Amino acid sequence: MLALWIVLAVVVVTLVVGLVVVVPRRGRRRRSLQSPGGDTATIERPPARPSEPRVPPPVAEPRTLLEAQEPELEAEVEPEAEPEPEPELAPAPELRERLGKTRGLFSGYVRALRSRSSVDDQAWDDLEEALLRADVGVATTTALLEDLRSRVHDGELRGAEAVVAALREDLRRSLDTEAGTSLSHDGEGTCVWLFVGVNGVGKTTTIGKVARREKAAGRSVLLAAGDTFRAAAAEQLDQWARRTGVDIVRGAEGGDPSAVVFDAVQRAQARGNDLVLADTAGRLHTKVNLVEELKKIRRVADRPPGHVAEVLLVLDATTGQNGLTQARQFLDAVGVTGVVLTKLDGSAKGGIVVAIQRDLGLPVKLVGLGEGPDDLVPFDPDEFVAALFD
Amino acid sequence: MFDALSDRLEGILGRLRSRGRLSDADVDEALREIRTALLEADVDVGVARSLVDGIRARVVGEELSKSLSPGQQVVKAVHDELIEVLGGETLRLTYASAPPTVILLAGLQGSGKTTTAAKLARWFRQQGRNPLLVGADLQRPAAVEQLRILGDQAGVPVFSEPSDPVAVAAGGVREAQRLGRDVLIVDTAGRLAIDEALMDEVRRVSDAVAPRYTFLVIDAMTGQDAVATARAFHDALALDGVILTKLDGDARGGAALSVKNVVGRPIAFASTGERLADFDLFHPDRMASRILGMGDVLTLIEQAEREFDHDIATEGATRLLEGRFTLEDFLSQLQQVKKLGSLGGLLSLMPGVPKEVKENANIDDGQVAQVEAIIRSMTPRERGEPGVIDGSRRSRIARGSGTTTQEVNQLLRQFKEAQQMMRNPGMLGGMLGGGVKGKLAQAVAERMGEGNADPSSLESLGAGGLGGAGLGGGRSVGGLGPPGGAKGRPGSKKKKGGRVTPKGSGGRAGR
């Protein structure tokens, strides 16, 4: 019970803080007159109000609200939800076109570099800055450039053009995996894909889009609204379910997410669904309890008849170096199998995926390019790199 | 938050602190490492460069102080520069003479606007205002629903209607006037800075409500994109400030450093947790201290001031000083402390607590609940005199609290040790005077507008590092040892911290 010590210590220290604050409080008004500005704004604050609303009180009430939306509901709600089996979502031109709006910084550096005849210090600095600005990260950038430098030194590469081409090839190679971008449906029993990630990266939206894709591919999909924490998260997923015409299993807000996933698997088994897409509440990878909860969800989902075929880390493309930490922690905790890079249509470059793939071997499998229901496409390393350079 | 950056800087500066004199090469190396540390924390490339240049200018320039060693000088330069880049003064809100005072929130998808709106509403309520929330995010499914639930938790009404965002916002103003609400917080849909149609829409929302403050909500984990985003929103909406969210993660927060520098607008508020209470004004000076590993006692004090029941706090503190602190007191104080947020969060605000302890502490609110349950299962007499607890009482308590007798035993034993430690007359002196706590006392003194000398704050900074080093080993779980002398025990770290440091009495003198 290390905790007690810490709790005690925290209580005691806070008490002393309280003491220090409370005792001289009487004399303070006098003193504040001669206080030299600074942030003394709080002195005038009204005394503490003890009854404050706390956020997370909805404690696990017994989940009763298990409901499945009947598919016939949706067709009329959202005409575009018709499962028009679109065979391909035409990813290749889209990625470049979408990124085309915003890239420029990186390609600007590269263009400037190409126009140089020799690779001088300034050129190396520019290249470094370009990579850093794309969120590739210091360590990865240094490693990439060190390698290029030595190749230039050895005479293998001559001129700026060759260096840029080599860098491009290096980046592309480090994003290429044998596993590729295919998503697994293998295994015994009901296939479960689990979506994990920190808050606000777009897990729920991604699930909605994946559901649409998978349905278009002829699979029968069931959504599990495993985000029981965030207000109205289940409602949000529910709307996606209606839009795409798939079933959903919901639990009570504040209920146990593992139970929701368990019920979803059971239901999928009973109804013969091929695939369960399990949403989870956004959680920072630093919150040990929440990560433990996630491990439990995974264990429960993996219990027969369920079978976890994919654990997808949803990552916001605007994320910086913290993305690598996130990936590492989630990989350790729940065995992430791939990354979904969302919001790549913004001005971000998503360079952190280079580090993630290099350091952790985690492939990017899907890319989110916008808010439309079809704006989720398989990741293509060639396109990604091309979009950075051209 | 900022942990990675503060770790890096601590490592770099720790080496410099001990040097008597610095060569140019030393300075160059330090600056290079500082740059890397900043970049790894997602500070914008350009901002990192200017920050490093600023530090260099301070170090080699005129601003030399004879009372500081060269190493301390670099520390001070970094500290000053960080404060400057983080944005100088804390925001002072003013209110419109003709209510409502309108606050407009904008930002990318997933940056936390809706949650922030509710937190902000709660904050205004705490300031004695009557906010009204407006759900103008009609884009994301169930966004308004989310706002309604959160508004409910914050005790703030929510206005929305299924029309279009501009109409909703304008309707919100009328609604606020009708209801006599004096602050109006408008939540908008997430949008990309490059999406011209949506940027135009938010501009029209802004025109419709004429906000007194327009805040950009930005995720602390954002990378190099933070600056471009802030700039684009600033161009469209003329921002008054930035609200930084998800600061409770690890590392990062470089966005905070960059934004002010690039758009010339400060970080106004910061959100540090999932609870609505985990939100406050952003204090650049404190953040600079936090980055440098000096803790953030001021925030702790302010939180305590706001949330504590003063009678209970005074009572507890008095009993503590008199050595009469019982389990009953512990329980009631624990309730007080819990109002401030998670215990883990509090721990991170405390200066001089070694990072390993913070990381490994993992204070689980469930464990805290267990401790509470055990104490609650005791009779008043048992709480006052744990000595009377015999075998049968023990098993009753265990049954009552759903724990085992071993756990009850452990709690009693640890509390007894802690009690003995607290009775030790030197302890509180050490707490108030010692290096780590000296900083606390000093911070309090500074806050009262007395004693704010650079050298002493630098000394305490140095002391903080020392204290941290001396205490780093204190992780033997539940180890037994003579009370009062237990340097290596986790529970004692804060209390004993002061003893390890040389400048023990500085803090007290400050008052």
Short mmCIF file of all heavy atoms in Angstrom, two decimals, chain A residues 248-289:
data_model
loop_
_atom_site.label_atom_id
_atom_site.label_comp_id
_atom_site.label_asym_id
_atom_site.label_seq_id
_atom_site.Cartn_x
_atom_site.Cartn_y
_atom_site.Cartn_z
N ILE A 248 -26.04 -1.75 -33.47
CA ILE A 248 -25.17 -1.23 -32.42
C ILE A 248 -25.63 -1.80 -31.09
O ILE A 248 -26.81 -2.03 -30.88
CB ILE A 248 -25.19 0.31 -32.40
CG1 ILE A 248 -24.29 0.85 -31.28
CG2 ILE A 248 -26.61 0.85 -32.25
CD1 ILE A 248 -24.06 2.34 -31.35
N VAL A 249 -24.65 -2.05 -30.22
CA VAL A 249 -24.95 -2.45 -28.85
C VAL A 249 -24.48 -1.33 -27.94
O VAL A 249 -23.32 -0.92 -28.01
CB VAL A 249 -24.24 -3.77 -28.47
CG1 VAL A 249 -24.40 -4.06 -26.99
CG2 VAL A 249 -24.81 -4.90 -29.29
N ARG A 250 -25.39 -0.84 -27.12
CA ARG A 250 -25.05 0.27 -26.23
C ARG A 250 -25.20 -0.15 -24.79
O ARG A 250 -25.97 -1.04 -24.46
CB ARG A 250 -26.00 1.44 -26.47
CG ARG A 250 -25.81 2.14 -27.77
CD ARG A 250 -26.82 3.23 -27.97
NE ARG A 250 -26.68 4.28 -26.96
CZ ARG A 250 -27.33 5.44 -27.04
NH1 ARG A 250 -28.11 5.69 -28.05
NH2 ARG A 250 -27.17 6.36 -26.10
N GLY A 251 -24.45 0.52 -23.93
CA GLY A 251 -24.61 0.29 -22.50
C GLY A 251 -25.02 1.59 -21.86
O GLY A 251 -25.18 2.61 -22.53
N ALA A 252 -25.18 1.57 -20.56
CA ALA A 252 -25.54 2.79 -19.85
C ALA A 252 -24.32 3.70 -19.77
O ALA A 252 -23.19 3.22 -19.69
CB ALA A 252 -26.02 2.46 -18.46
N GLU A 253 -24.55 4.99 -19.79
CA GLU A 253 -23.46 5.93 -19.63
C GLU A 253 -22.82 5.71 -18.25
O GLU A 253 -23.51 5.57 -17.25
CB GLU A 253 -23.96 7.36 -19.75
CG GLU A 253 -22.85 8.32 -20.08
CD GLU A 253 -23.40 9.61 -20.65
OE1 GLU A 253 -23.84 9.60 -21.82
OE2 GLU A 253 -23.39 10.59 -19.92
N GLY A 254 -21.51 5.66 -18.23
CA GLY A 254 -20.83 5.41 -16.97
C GLY A 254 -20.77 3.94 -16.62
O GLY A 254 -20.24 3.56 -15.59
N GLY A 255 -21.32 3.09 -17.47
CA GLY A 255 -21.29 1.66 -17.20
C GLY A 255 -19.94 1.04 -17.53
O GLY A 255 -18.99 1.74 -17.86
N ASP A 256 -19.90 -0.28 -17.45
CA ASP A 256 -18.64 -0.97 -17.66
C ASP A 256 -18.45 -1.24 -19.15
O ASP A 256 -19.23 -1.97 -19.76
CB ASP A 256 -18.69 -2.30 -16.87
CG ASP A 256 -17.43 -3.11 -17.08
OD1 ASP A 256 -16.51 -2.63 -17.77
OD2 ASP A 256 -17.36 -4.22 -16.53
N PRO A 257 -17.42 -0.66 -19.75
CA PRO A 257 -17.21 -0.84 -21.19
C PRO A 257 -16.96 -2.30 -21.57
O PRO A 257 -17.38 -2.74 -22.64
CB PRO A 257 -16.00 0.03 -21.51
CG PRO A 257 -15.36 0.33 -20.21
CD PRO A 257 -16.43 0.26 -19.16
N SER A 258 -16.30 -3.04 -20.69
CA SER A 258 -16.04 -4.45 -21.00
C SER A 258 -17.35 -5.19 -21.18
O SER A 258 -17.48 -6.06 -22.04
CB SER A 258 -15.26 -5.12 -19.87
OG SER A 258 -14.10 -4.41 -19.60
N ALA A 259 -18.33 -4.84 -20.36
CA ALA A 259 -19.61 -5.52 -20.45
C ALA A 259 -20.29 -5.22 -21.78
O ALA A 259 -20.91 -6.09 -22.38
CB ALA A 259 -20.51 -5.09 -19.28
N VAL A 260 -20.13 -3.99 -22.24
CA VAL A 260 -20.72 -3.62 -23.53
C VAL A 260 -20.09 -4.46 -24.64
O VAL A 260 -20.78 -5.01 -25.50
CB VAL A 260 -20.51 -2.12 -23.82
CG1 VAL A 260 -21.07 -1.77 -25.19
CG2 VAL A 260 -21.16 -1.27 -22.75
N VAL A 261 -18.76 -4.56 -24.58
CA VAL A 261 -18.06 -5.32 -25.61
C VAL A 261 -18.45 -6.80 -25.52
O VAL A 261 -18.69 -7.46 -26.54
CB VAL A 261 -16.54 -5.12 -25.48
CG1 VAL A 261 -15.79 -6.05 -26.43
CG2 VAL A 261 -16.17 -3.67 -25.76
N PHE A 262 -18.54 -7.29 -24.30
CA PHE A 262 -18.94 -8.68 -24.11
C PHE A 262 -20.31 -8.93 -24.73
O PHE A 262 -20.50 -9.88 -25.50
CB PHE A 262 -18.97 -9.00 -22.62
CG PHE A 262 -19.40 -10.41 -22.31
CD1 PHE A 262 -18.51 -11.46 -22.40
CD2 PHE A 262 -20.71 -10.67 -21.95
CE1 PHE A 262 -18.91 -12.76 -22.12
CE2 PHE A 262 -21.12 -11.97 -21.67
CZ PHE A 262 -20.23 -13.01 -21.76
N ASP A 263 -21.25 -8.06 -24.41
CA ASP A 263 -22.59 -8.21 -24.95
C ASP A 263 -22.59 -8.15 -26.47
O ASP A 263 -23.32 -8.89 -27.13
CB ASP A 263 -23.52 -7.12 -24.41
CG ASP A 263 -23.91 -7.39 -22.97
OD1 ASP A 263 -23.72 -8.54 -22.53
OD2 ASP A 263 -24.37 -6.46 -22.29
N ALA A 264 -21.76 -7.27 -26.99
CA ALA A 264 -21.70 -7.12 -28.44
C ALA A 264 -21.23 -8.41 -29.08
O ALA A 264 -21.78 -8.85 -30.10
CB ALA A 264 -20.77 -5.96 -28.81
N VAL A 265 -20.21 -9.01 -28.48
CA VAL A 265 -19.68 -10.26 -29.04
C VAL A 265 -20.75 -11.36 -28.98
O VAL A 265 -20.97 -12.09 -29.95
CB VAL A 265 -18.39 -10.70 -28.30
CG1 VAL A 265 -17.97 -12.09 -28.74
CG2 VAL A 265 -17.27 -9.70 -28.56
N GLN A 266 -21.41 -11.43 -27.84
CA GLN A 266 -22.46 -12.43 -27.70
C GLN A 266 -23.55 -12.24 -28.76
O GLN A 266 -23.99 -13.17 -29.40
CB GLN A 266 -23.11 -12.32 -26.30
CG GLN A 266 -22.16 -12.63 -25.16
CD GLN A 266 -21.67 -14.07 -25.19
OE1 GLN A 266 -22.40 -14.97 -25.57
NE2 GLN A 266 -20.42 -14.28 -24.82
N ARG A 267 -23.92 -11.00 -28.89
CA ARG A 267 -24.99 -10.69 -29.83
C ARG A 267 -24.56 -10.99 -31.27
O ARG A 267 -25.33 -11.54 -32.05
CB ARG A 267 -25.38 -9.22 -29.69
CG ARG A 267 -26.55 -8.84 -30.55
CD ARG A 267 -27.08 -7.52 -30.12
NE ARG A 267 -27.66 -7.59 -28.80
CZ ARG A 267 -28.93 -7.30 -28.54
NH1 ARG A 267 -29.72 -6.93 -29.52
NH2 ARG A 267 -29.41 -7.37 -27.33
N ALA A 268 -23.33 -10.62 -31.58
CA ALA A 268 -22.82 -10.88 -32.92
C ALA A 268 -22.83 -12.38 -33.21
O ALA A 268 -23.21 -12.82 -34.30
CB ALA A 268 -21.41 -10.31 -33.05
N GLN A 269 -22.42 -13.13 -32.20
CA GLN A 269 -22.41 -14.58 -32.34
C GLN A 269 -23.83 -15.08 -32.62
O GLN A 269 -24.06 -15.86 -33.54
CB GLN A 269 -21.86 -15.19 -31.04
CG GLN A 269 -21.99 -16.68 -30.94
CD GLN A 269 -20.91 -17.38 -31.77
OE1 GLN A 269 -20.06 -16.71 -32.36
NE2 GLN A 269 -20.95 -18.69 -31.83
N ALA A 270 -24.77 -14.60 -31.83
CA ALA A 270 -26.14 -15.07 -31.95
C ALA A 270 -26.74 -14.67 -33.30
O ALA A 270 -27.49 -15.43 -33.90
CB ALA A 270 -26.98 -14.52 -30.82
N ARG A 271 -26.39 -13.50 -33.75
CA ARG A 271 -27.02 -13.02 -34.99
C ARG A 271 -26.21 -13.33 -36.23
O ARG A 271 -26.65 -13.01 -37.34
CB ARG A 271 -27.14 -11.50 -34.93
CG ARG A 271 -28.10 -11.01 -33.92
CD ARG A 271 -28.06 -9.52 -33.96
NE ARG A 271 -29.28 -8.97 -33.41
CZ ARG A 271 -29.96 -7.97 -33.96
NH1 ARG A 271 -29.53 -7.44 -35.09
NH2 ARG A 271 -31.03 -7.52 -33.41
N GLY A 272 -25.03 -13.85 -36.00
CA GLY A 272 -24.19 -14.20 -37.13
C GLY A 272 -23.51 -13.01 -37.79
O GLY A 272 -23.23 -13.03 -38.98
N ASN A 273 -23.22 -11.96 -37.02
CA ASN A 273 -22.44 -10.84 -37.58
C ASN A 273 -21.00 -11.30 -37.81
O ASN A 273 -20.46 -12.09 -37.05
CB ASN A 273 -22.43 -9.65 -36.62
CG ASN A 273 -23.79 -9.01 -36.48
OD1 ASN A 273 -24.42 -9.11 -35.44
ND2 ASN A 273 -24.27 -8.39 -37.53
N ASP A 274 -20.37 -10.75 -38.84
CA ASP A 274 -18.99 -11.14 -39.14
C ASP A 274 -17.99 -10.36 -38.31
O ASP A 274 -16.89 -10.82 -38.05
CB ASP A 274 -18.65 -10.84 -40.61
CG ASP A 274 -19.64 -11.46 -41.55
OD1 ASP A 274 -20.08 -12.59 -41.26
OD2 ASP A 274 -20.00 -10.80 -42.55
N LEU A 275 -18.35 -9.13 -37.96
CA LEU A 275 -17.32 -8.23 -37.45
C LEU A 275 -17.91 -7.32 -36.39
O LEU A 275 -18.96 -6.70 -36.60
CB LEU A 275 -16.78 -7.39 -38.62
CG LEU A 275 -15.72 -6.34 -38.33
CD1 LEU A 275 -14.45 -7.02 -37.82
CD2 LEU A 275 -15.41 -5.54 -39.59
N VAL A 276 -17.20 -7.24 -35.26
CA VAL A 276 -17.59 -6.30 -34.21
C VAL A 276 -16.57 -5.17 -34.18
O VAL A 276 -15.37 -5.42 -34.07
CB VAL A 276 -17.66 -6.97 -32.83
CG1 VAL A 276 -17.90 -5.94 -31.73
CG2 VAL A 276 -18.75 -8.03 -32.80
N LEU A 277 -17.03 -3.94 -34.33
CA LEU A 277 -16.13 -2.79 -34.21
C LEU A 277 -16.36 -2.17 -32.83
O LEU A 277 -17.44 -1.65 -32.54
CB LEU A 277 -16.43 -1.75 -35.30
CG LEU A 277 -16.33 -2.24 -36.74
CD1 LEU A 277 -16.69 -1.11 -37.70
CD2 LEU A 277 -14.93 -2.75 -37.02
N ALA A 278 -15.35 -2.25 -31.98
CA ALA A 278 -15.52 -1.83 -30.59
C ALA A 278 -14.89 -0.47 -30.37
O ALA A 278 -13.68 -0.30 -30.51
CB ALA A 278 -14.93 -2.87 -29.64
N ASP A 279 -15.72 0.48 -30.00
CA ASP A 279 -15.26 1.82 -29.63
C ASP A 279 -14.79 1.77 -28.18
O ASP A 279 -15.27 0.96 -27.39
CB ASP A 279 -16.45 2.80 -29.76
CG ASP A 279 -16.00 4.25 -29.75
OD1 ASP A 279 -14.78 4.50 -29.81
OD2 ASP A 279 -16.87 5.14 -29.69
N THR A 280 -13.84 2.63 -27.85
CA THR A 280 -13.44 2.74 -26.44
C THR A 280 -13.35 4.22 -26.12
O THR A 280 -13.20 5.06 -27.01
CB THR A 280 -12.07 2.09 -26.17
OG1 THR A 280 -11.07 2.77 -26.93
CG2 THR A 280 -12.08 0.62 -26.51
N ALA A 281 -13.42 4.54 -24.84
CA ALA A 281 -13.31 5.94 -24.43
C ALA A 281 -11.88 6.40 -24.68
O ALA A 281 -10.93 5.64 -24.50
CB ALA A 281 -13.65 6.08 -22.96
N GLY A 282 -11.74 7.65 -25.10
CA GLY A 282 -10.41 8.20 -25.24
C GLY A 282 -9.72 8.22 -23.89
O GLY A 282 -10.36 8.49 -22.87
N ARG A 283 -8.46 7.86 -23.88
CA ARG A 283 -7.75 7.89 -22.60
C ARG A 283 -6.30 8.25 -22.87
O ARG A 283 -5.71 7.80 -23.85
CB ARG A 283 -7.86 6.54 -21.90
CG ARG A 283 -7.20 5.38 -22.64
CD ARG A 283 -7.76 4.06 -22.21
NE ARG A 283 -9.11 3.86 -22.71
CZ ARG A 283 -10.08 3.30 -21.99
NH1 ARG A 283 -9.86 2.86 -20.79
NH2 ARG A 283 -11.29 3.18 -22.52
N LEU A 284 -5.76 9.03 -22.00
CA LEU A 284 -4.35 9.33 -22.11
C LEU A 284 -3.60 8.08 -21.68
O LEU A 284 -3.98 7.41 -20.73
CB LEU A 284 -3.99 10.52 -21.24
CG LEU A 284 -4.62 11.83 -21.70
CD1 LEU A 284 -4.36 12.93 -20.69
CD2 LEU A 284 -4.07 12.23 -23.04
N HIS A 285 -2.54 7.80 -22.41
CA HIS A 285 -1.77 6.59 -22.15
C HIS A 285 -1.07 6.65 -20.80
O HIS A 285 -0.48 5.68 -20.36
CB HIS A 285 -0.74 6.43 -23.26
CG HIS A 285 0.00 7.71 -23.52
ND1 HIS A 285 -0.61 8.78 -24.15
CD2 HIS A 285 1.24 8.09 -23.20
CE1 HIS A 285 0.26 9.77 -24.21
NE2 HIS A 285 1.37 9.38 -23.64
N THR A 286 -1.12 7.80 -20.16
CA THR A 286 -0.44 7.93 -18.87
C THR A 286 -1.35 7.56 -17.70
O THR A 286 -0.89 7.44 -16.58
CB THR A 286 0.01 9.38 -18.66
OG1 THR A 286 -1.11 10.23 -18.88
CG2 THR A 286 1.11 9.74 -19.61
N LYS A 287 -2.62 7.41 -17.98
CA LYS A 287 -3.56 7.11 -16.91
C LYS A 287 -3.61 5.61 -16.69
O LYS A 287 -4.29 4.88 -17.42
CB LYS A 287 -4.96 7.64 -17.28
CG LYS A 287 -5.00 9.12 -17.56
CD LYS A 287 -5.15 9.90 -16.27
CE LYS A 287 -4.79 11.36 -16.40
NZ LYS A 287 -5.90 12.16 -16.91
N VAL A 288 -2.89 5.17 -15.68
CA VAL A 288 -2.70 3.73 -15.49
C VAL A 288 -4.03 2.99 -15.36
O VAL A 288 -4.24 1.94 -15.96
CB VAL A 288 -1.82 3.48 -14.26
CG1 VAL A 288 -1.67 2.00 -14.02
CG2 VAL A 288 -0.48 4.14 -14.45
N ASN A 289 -4.93 3.55 -14.59
CA ASN A 289 -6.20 2.84 -14.36
C ASN A 289 -6.96 2.65 -15.65
O ASN A 289 -7.55 1.61 -15.89
CB ASN A 289 -7.10 3.62 -13.41
CG ASN A 289 -6.34 4.10 -12.23
OD1 ASN A 289 -5.38 3.46 -11.82
ND2 ASN A 289 -6.74 5.23 -11.70
#
